[in-house]
Amino acid sequence: MKFDMDYIAHNNELTEFNPYVKLFLTIILLIVTLALDNLYFDVFIFVVMSIVILAIAKINFRSYFKFLTIPMAFLVITCIFLLFFFGKGEVIYETGIFGIVVTDDSFHYAVYTFMRVLGCLPILGFLALTTPISKILHCLRTLKVPKVMIEIALLMYNVIFIFLNEIDTMQKAQNSRLGYHSYWTSFKSLGALVSTIFLRSLDKSETLQFALDSRGYTGELPVYEPRKKEN
């Protein structure tokens, strides 16, 4: 099943729920989670918000899991670097490789970073998976967020999914040519994928600029505004 966040945001039990309430709830929970810096609260908020997403919004578990996969991968890599290369203090574990050790400070940094981000992920997922981007941007506009920030967010959202689609297409092409049937071919295919997506990104950015210019782009992108209900 292909992950389509935009489709999920338009088709769940909380789509029509007031977007301002969801936005403010997300901001408040993020501030509280970061301010408390409590491991037990991080676990609590992760469980509660996951229940809201899965049981109340009724979003498919596999879709929610895929949403968490990419940021969790970056989080694990970041925490590994924090664990082995940052912090001072008493050594609690020696790897025996080039003097790399784990100290009490680095262990503290790694654990607390992991748990704080883990607590924040479902909060952001609650907003992203239950609210279409058009409604989020409209809320930000009515709250007088600078236009340039809204436009950057819109372009980033658009480009990210274009590239995800490109990556999916290229991976399917590589799989059809047995590009991942061994470790060596997997590394080779991954290298080709990264280099190709870099070149595609340059080409897509130029194409996007041409598309905007051809449609009379003057430095401001229109943002969706919901139709006002007539009494």
Side-chain angles (χ1 to χ4, degrees):
M1 181 181 67
K2 183 179 178 181
F3 178 68
D4 189 344
M5 193 168 75
D6 198 54
Y7 174 82
I8 296 170
H10 281 86
N11 295 274
N12 64 83
E13 295 298 320
L14 295 178
T15 298
E16 299 302 326
F17 190 73
N18 192 318
Y20 290 96
V21 174
K22 289 187 283 187
L23 180 61
F24 283 119
L25 179 62
T26 299
I27 294 173
I28 292 171
L29 288 176
L30 282 175
I31 293 174
V32 172
T33 302
L34 294 174
L36 286 180
D37 193 17
N38 185 286
L39 297 180
Y40 297 106
F41 184 78
D42 294 335
V43 174
F44 172 76
I45 202 68
F46 178 85
V47 173
V48 170
M49 295 308 296
S50 295
I51 292 174
V52 171
I53 292 171
L54 297 173
I56 299 179
K58 295 185 179 179
I59 292 173
N60 184 275
F61 175 78
R62 290 180 61 188
S63 298
Y64 179 53
F65 179 77
K66 288 185 177 182
F67 171 82
L68 295 176
T69 300
I70 295 178
M72 284 294 292
F74 282 102
L75 175 60
V76 170
I77 294 173
T78 300
C79 290
I80 290 175
F81 274 94
L82 288 174
L83 186 64
F84 291 106
F85 301 105
F86 291 86
K88 299 179 181 179
E90 182 182 354
V91 176
I92 59 177
Y93 178 74
E94 295 184 7
T95 63
I97 303 174
F98 300 112
I100 298 175
V101 297
V102 177
T103 66
D104 52 355
D105 281 347
S106 65
F107 180 78
H108 175 271
Y109 291 151
V111 171
Y112 271 80
T113 299
F114 181 85
M115 296 305 296
R116 291 180 77 180
V117 176
L118 186 69
C120 292
L121 280 178
I123 299 174
L124 294 174
F126 167 73
L127 180 65
L129 295 175
T130 64
T131 314
I133 187 64
S134 56
K135 293 184 178 180
I136 296 176
L137 295 180
H138 174 69
C139 291
L140 295 177
R141 185 173 183 178
T142 57
L143 294 173
K144 305 302 180 182
V145 173
K147 291 183 180 180
V148 64
M149 295 182 63
I150 297 176
E151 291 177 2
I152 290 174
L154 178 60
L155 289 173
M156 287 179 62
Y157 183 86
N158 180 53
V159 171
I160 285 172
F161 285 97
I162 290 176
F163 289 145
L164 288 177
N165 185 62
E166 290 286 336
I167 291 173
D168 182 66
T169 301
M170 286 188 285
Q171 281 185 330
K172 287 179 179 177
Q174 288 177 331
N175 278 321
S176 68
R177 295 172 175 81
L178 301 179
Y180 295 94
H181 76 283
S182 68
Y183 287 111
W184 171 248
T185 55
S186 296
F187 281 115
K188 188 176 180 180
S189 297
L190 181 61
L193 178 65
V194 172
S195 60
T196 303
I197 200 64
F198 175 73
L199 296 176
R200 290 280 183 92
S201 65
L202 297 177
D203 181 64
K204 288 290 184 180
S205 63
E206 187 177 6
T207 302
L208 178 61
Q209 185 61 53
F210 288 154
L212 290 172
D213 292 339
S214 66
R215 289 164 174 79
Y217 176 66
T218 58
E220 181 178 351
L221 293 172
V223 177
Y224 162 81
E225 294 186 10
R227 184 179 299 176
K228 294 181 180 180
K229 296 181 180 181
E230 296 182 359
N231 296 326

